[in-house]
Amino acid sequence: MRTRLVKLSVIVLIAIAVGACAASRAFMRGERASRTGDLDAAVEYYRQAMQDDPDRAEYKIAYERAMLNASVLHTDLARKAEAEGRLDDALREYRRASELDVSNRQVAAKVSELERTIRDRIEAARPRPQIDRLREEAQRAAPEPILSPTTPLGPVNFNNASIREILQFIGQATGINVIFDRDFVDRQTSISVEGVTLEQALQQLMLTNQLFYKVLNDRTIIVIQDTNQKRTQYEDQVIKTFFLSHADAQEMNQLLTGIIRLPGIPVQPVFVANKTSNTLTARASSAVMNIITSMIEANDKPRAEIMIDVQILEIARERAKQFGLNLSAYQLGLFFSPETAPTAGTGGTATEPFNLNTISQGVSTADFYLSVPAAIINFLESDSRTKVLAKTQLRGAENQKISLNLGEEIPVPSTVFTPLATGGANTNPLTSFAYRPIGIIVEMTPRVTYTGDILMSLTLENSARGVNVDVGGTSAPSFSSRRVTTQLRLRDGESNLLAGLLREDERRELRGFPGLIRMPILQQLFGSNDTQIRQTDIVMLLTPRIIRSHELTAQNLAPIYIGPQSNLSLGGGPPPLLAVPEAQPEVSAPIGGPPAPPPAAPTPQIPPGSSPIPGMTTLPPPAPPAPEPAAPPLPFPQPAPVQITPEPQPPAAPAPPATPDAPAAPQPAAGGGGRISVTAPPAMTLGAGPYTVPISISGASRISVLSLSITYNPAVLRVRSVQEGTFMRQGGIAAMFTSQPDPGGRVDIVITRPGDQTGAVGTGLLAAILFEPIGAGTSTVSITGVGTVAGTGASAVLEFAPASVTVK
């Protein structure tokens, strides 16, 4: 016996010596790798040394120091790659730096930022779906009639005048035909508008007198009394089928029915959902159909997609205690910092000092920060006594259940008793079997918020089969189960560690003399006892990542104005008007000579001080035009302020064609662009009233965004108002128009077609600036700016033509 003990001691000492030598050898290799700058290899050697001899404090210190130095090195490499535009390499280096220093929140935030940037670039580079191009072609193939007046509308002032006469005046001033329904009732009204578009003036007149109008063609409207009967008679009905890509047809049907079907609508819209093809067919008036189209475009959005990295490890309890699964040694820290996020310090995470008054305002979960120890997971994976049960990636859409089942299914009997005959006793047993899954079962239902967070409903179950039990004379299986149900709120790429699902398996075996083995003391003397106890722990690490986010645009977040309940229409008014003058051939004078006069526009004249319509205030005639300095050729003339006469004069003859030396008319740019020009008014006269200066574009191609700056002499001119043109509203797109006049002599205009992939083309009016002369002199109205090509986002090629204005 003594010899055996000596041999066993020698074997133990040799094993300890070999282990110590292996740890020392790994430590020395780590030191050499650290001196040569190979920090990644040094980290691996130090880790091996710490595993072989976990009681040596210097091994642990060297390991943590090498991890921090390697993290700094990879961070520098990542920043260099990002500066050079190699985002994939930068993301890889940032991820490695975050793994080495999990407490560095700045690096973790940079990983999430680069992942979003790369994801957005990939999505932007994808070709447009064919269904989008087909929708645009269908919209251009069957457009609604759009009114196209020949001249802009000037100031209109009436007091107690007839509605018929007011509309006739507006028609003569803008070159449109106005006809009336046979049941039209005329009445007296007053209106005073200035600096508004024709559409806005008509809308104001219609709303205040319970009328509406219908566009028959580009030069004619019909004015009708606003009643349910008349709207039923005149409003066109449209049937349209919407092919839904992401939304459910039944849910969309319920949404539209609850929003659009309102009491008071003359003709209620009808919706029919087709579940098989996931389409929605609607029948409504053309104005209501535009609202339905906007609502479907805002709600038919793809769901966000999530990739979840799942790592499940089963660890022996004794080994887990040895490595400190309480995680205190590896700094699983919970920090309280209500004012600012914790900053990375040397060797860990440090919180910033905060004022105690902050706590008096309330404490929430957003004030606490948790550093997840990813390093310990890597350490446990490399341990020989740790069993990796699962290491997988699960991908799914938000609000859809994602399940992971690692185990087996056990049949569970279920017996019911039925009578042999009707009315008899329940004596006939019928047994059926249902299968219950056991093992590790994970169920997750994620949801991506619009702020970038991930809300996850998580259920984790670790179950196993127990011993059979007798139930009513029948042997049935029993089960042991550990189950956790929780709600998580995580950032993109943030990890969550779940541990503490302990499992203890105890096996006892007793052998001996019958009867004696049941005695408390004698069973130890006359029996053989074999007891095995095994404790395990389940550690799970979840890391969700957003693969595709919500595809929202600014147009989706903007409200949809639909007007009053009795007169629903997109934008709150009638169909849009194309307030663009008719295209005229450009004329220019020979080089060095005076500019050729623009074509004369039909301008009705009346004697000063007279008025054929009672209650109308006429404007004084403008002063005779004075010679102007040379200016670039202009595509559209700007008429003098419109006035009325019972019999307007016929229009003047058109200008002669351009000389051979004149430049050709601009053509649409191949890559997107156009020529933007300022149309100069005749010579202004002090006290004669304001004058409108149009800003027009010609030869445009694929314009989606325009940002313009118009400058002038503030000592000569003053801006009274800026009106929106209709060029950027082609195809019924609700363009976003913003203007910012500066009294110092500048007007900034931004026009955007949100969500447009085709762009505006051709010739039209961008804006109209109402100038008021305040001093004698000459002012150059110049224009600069930039544009964006639709679909590509490239800069548009723009040409600018200024104008000179003389004030006497």
Side-chain angles (χ1 to χ4, degrees):
M1 181 63 67
R2 184 178 301 175
T3 304
R4 292 180 180 179
L5 291 177
V6 171
K7 292 181 179 180
L8 181 61
S9 301
V10 172
I11 293 174
V12 171
L13 292 176
I14 293 175
I16 294 175
V18 171
C21 292
S24 177
R25 186 164 52 253
F27 179 77
M28 295 302 297
R29 291 177 179 176
E31 290 289 322
R32 288 195 297 269
S34 179
R35 286 193 296 268
T36 58
D38 191 358
L39 297 180
D40 289 338
V43 169
E44 296 300 325
Y45 286 132
Y46 287 141
R47 177 185 297 175
Q48 181 179 354
M50 191 174 61
Q51 285 181 339
D52 293 337
D53 192 358
D55 296 331
R56 295 288 295 271
E58 59 269 25
Y59 292 174
K60 181 179 178 181
I61 294 174
Y63 173 64
E64 293 180 353
R65 182 178 63 248
M67 290 181 64
L68 290 176
N69 294 335
S71 176
V72 173
L73 175 63
H74 285 284
T75 302
D76 295 338
L77 294 176
R79 290 173 179 170
K80 181 179 179 180
E82 184 181 6
E84 296 175 356
R86 297 181 286 111
L87 299 186
D88 293 335
D89 297 339
L91 178 59
R92 183 169 55 254
E93 296 294 339
Y94 275 127
R95 283 178 176 172
R96 179 57 179 165
S98 181
E99 292 176 358
L100 294 170
D101 186 7
V102 296
S103 62
N104 195 331
R105 300 180 61 87
Q106 288 80 6
V107 174
K110 199 65 179 180
V111 171
S112 301
E113 179 184 350
L114 279 182
E115 287 178 346
R116 287 193 298 269
T117 301
I118 294 175
R119 181 175 64 243
D120 294 341
R121 288 188 177 182
I122 293 175
E123 292 296 330
R126 295 182 183 274
R128 292 183 57 201
Q130 184 180 5
I131 186 66
D132 292 343
R133 296 192 294 268
L134 294 177
R135 287 189 183 121
E136 294 176 358
E137 293 178 5
Q139 186 176 6
R140 290 192 298 265
E144 298 181 19
I146 299 179
L147 195 62
S148 180
T150 57
T151 57
L153 180 66
V156 178
N157 297 281
F158 291 92
N159 185 19
N160 292 328
S162 168
I163 298 178
R164 185 185 296 269
E165 293 172 343
I166 296 175
L167 290 173
Q168 289 176 348
F169 164 73
I170 293 177
Q172 293 177 359
T174 57
I176 64 173
N177 303 315
V178 181
I179 60 178
F180 301 89
D181 179 67
R182 64 179 182 179
D183 296 330
F184 172 78
V185 179
D186 198 6
R187 62 175 65 93
Q188 301 293 316
T189 188
S190 300
I191 184 173
S192 177
V193 293
E194 182 178 356
V196 299
T197 62
L198 174 59
E199 177 185 4
Q200 295 170 344
L202 288 176
Q203 180 67 2
Q204 178 178 342
L205 190 61
M206 298 294 128
L207 287 178
T208 55
N209 295 277
Q210 295 182 351
L211 302 171
F212 75 97
Y213 69 90
K214 179 181 179 181
V215 180
L216 300 181
N217 52 56
D218 59 346
R219 289 291 187 271
T220 307
I221 65 172
I222 181 171
V223 180
I224 314 146
Q225 207 72 27
D226 193 357
T227 62
N228 288 346
Q229 180 181 1
K230 289 299 181 181
R231 285 194 175 273
T232 305
Q233 177 182 351
Y234 281 97
E235 284 188 341
D236 296 329
Q237 294 291 303
V238 180
I239 297 178
K240 187 175 182 180
T241 299
F242 297 93
F243 296 86
L244 305 179
S245 300
H246 309 284
D248 182 73
Q250 296 290 348
E251 295 179 357
M252 188 66 69
N253 186 4
Q254 297 176 2
L255 173 66
L256 295 175
T257 301
I259 297 296
I260 301 298
R261 292 181 63 88
L262 300 174
I265 300 180
V267 180
Q268 291 289 344
V270 179
F271 308 100
V272 177
N274 189 333
K275 185 177 181 180
T276 303
S277 59
N278 198 39
T279 60
L280 182 69
T281 303
R283 186 194 68 196
S285 63
S286 58
V288 176
M289 188 61 70
N290 293 334
I291 302 175
I292 296 172
T293 303
S294 298
M295 290 189 61
I296 291 179
E297 291 177 353
N299 289 275
D300 188 21
K301 294 294 183 180
R303 296 181 180 180
E305 293 188 31
I306 302 174
M307 179 78 75
I308 303 177
D309 295 332
V310 182
Q311 298 185 41
I312 302 177
L313 304 100
E314 186 177 32
I315 309 165
R317 182 59 178 171
E318 294 81 7
R319 190 66 173 177
K321 288 182 179 179
Q322 180 180 354
F323 288 115
L325 256 191
N326 56 8
L327 305 180
S328 59
Y330 292 88
Q331 298 181 357
L332 175 62
L334 181 65
F335 303 96
F336 177 70
S337 182
E339 294 182 355
T340 58
T343 57
T346 304
T349 302
T351 57
E352 298 290 342
F354 58 88
N355 196 312
L356 291 179
N357 290 331
T358 306
I359 305 179
S360 63
Q361 301 176 2
V363 178
S364 65
T365 55
D367 301 332
F368 294 89
Y369 297 85
L370 180 68
S371 60
V372 180
I376 190 172
I377 298 298
N378 298 331
F379 182 74
L380 290 175
E381 286 188 45
S382 61
D383 183 65
S384 60
R385 297 191 181 182
T386 300
K387 180 181 180 181
V388 180
L389 300 181
K391 187 175 182 181
T392 183
Q393 290 182 331
L394 305 178
R395 179 172 179 173
E398 63 172 344
N399 294 326
Q400 297 292 329
K401 181 182 292 186
I402 303 175
S403 301
L404 175 64
N405 190 348
L406 303 176
E408 56 183 342
E409 293 186 350
I410 302 297
V412 179
S414 175
T415 303
V416 296
F417 292 89
T418 61
L420 294 175
T422 304
N426 295 333
T427 59
N428 183 30
L430 295 178
T431 302
S432 60
F433 291 88
Y435 286 85
R436 171 179 172 172
I438 63 172
I440 298 178
I441 303 172
V442 182
E443 294 183 352
M444 297 166 286
T445 304
R447 181 171 69 88
V448 180
T449 66
Y450 294 102
T451 56
D453 294 342
I454 301 174
L455 304 181
M456 185 182 302
S457 299
L458 174 65
T459 300
L460 174 62
E461 179 181 356
N462 184 15
S463 58
R465 181 177 179 178
V467 297
N468 292 348
V469 295
D470 291 336
V471 180
T474 303
S475 179
S478 65
F479 302 93
S480 62
S481 177
R482 292 168 290 170
R483 184 183 181 91
V484 175
T485 300
T486 184
Q487 298 281 340
L488 302 178
R489 174 177 173 266
L490 302 174
R491 296 286 186 183
D492 183 13
E494 182 180 0
S495 299
N496 178 74
L497 183 66
L498 181 62
L501 296 178
L502 300 179
R503 175 181 175 182
E504 180 175 319
D505 297 331
E506 182 176 355
R507 180 176 175 270
R508 295 178 180 270
E509 184 178 354
L510 181 62
R511 298 177 183 177
F513 293 99
L516 295 180
I517 60 175
R518 302 300 179 185
M519 304 299 292
I521 299 176
L522 297 179
Q523 67 177 358
Q524 304 295 333
L525 300 176
F526 300 98
S528 175
N529 297 273
D530 185 8
T531 302
Q532 295 181 1
I533 299 177
R534 180 187 180 189
Q535 291 182 339
T536 58
D537 192 4
I538 298 296
V539 177
M540 183 175 69
L541 183 69
L542 294 178
T543 306
R545 304 182 188 277
I546 300 177
I547 303 300
R548 288 196 177 100
S549 59
H550 303 96
E551 299 178 3
L552 296 180
T553 62
Q555 186 177 5
N556 300 139
L557 302 179
I560 302 176
Y561 295 94
I562 61 175
Q565 182 172 329
S566 60
N567 184 17
L568 296 182
S569 61
L570 188 62
L577 310 181
L578 184 61
V580 180
E582 289 184 345
Q584 300 289 341
E586 290 189 3
V587 293
S588 60
I591 299 177
T603 306
Q605 299 291 336
I606 62 172
S610 62
S611 175
I613 300 178
M616 189 195 78
T617 303
T618 60
L619 301 176
E628 298 180 272
L634 304 174
F636 304 109
Q638 170 61 29
V642 177
Q643 305 192 16
I644 193 167
T645 181
E647 297 180 359
Q649 299 297 326
T659 61
D661 296 334
Q667 299 296 330
R675 185 173 186 268
I676 302 176
S677 58
V678 181
T679 303
M684 296 184 178
T685 304
L686 290 176
Y691 289 78
T692 301
V693 176
I695 309 297
S696 57
I697 186 171
S698 59
S701 174
R702 301 178 62 189
I703 299 294
S704 63
V705 178
L706 283 176
S707 178
L708 307 177
S709 294
I710 297 93
T711 57
Y712 58 96
N713 187 356
V716 178
L717 302 174
R718 179 171 58 194
V719 175
R720 293 191 58 177
S721 65
V722 180
Q723 305 176 22
E724 178 186 3
T726 56
F727 173 77
M728 298 292 283
R729 293 160 57 188
Q730 293 181 10
I733 293 181
M736 300 175 62
F737 179 89
T738 58
S739 62
Q740 185 64 38
D742 186 357
R746 176 174 174 174
V747 179
D748 294 328
I749 298 175
V750 178
I751 315 174
T752 305
R753 291 166 60 93
D756 183 29
Q757 299 294 329
T758 304
V761 297
T763 301
L765 186 67
L766 296 175
I769 304 177
L770 192 65
F771 281 107
E772 181 181 13
I774 59 175
T778 301
S779 172
T780 300
V781 182
S782 59
I783 182 171
T784 59
V786 294
T788 302
V789 179
T792 63
S795 298
V797 180
L798 300 177
E799 299 178 7
F800 302 100
S804 181
V805 177
T806 302
V807 178
K808 295 185 177 181

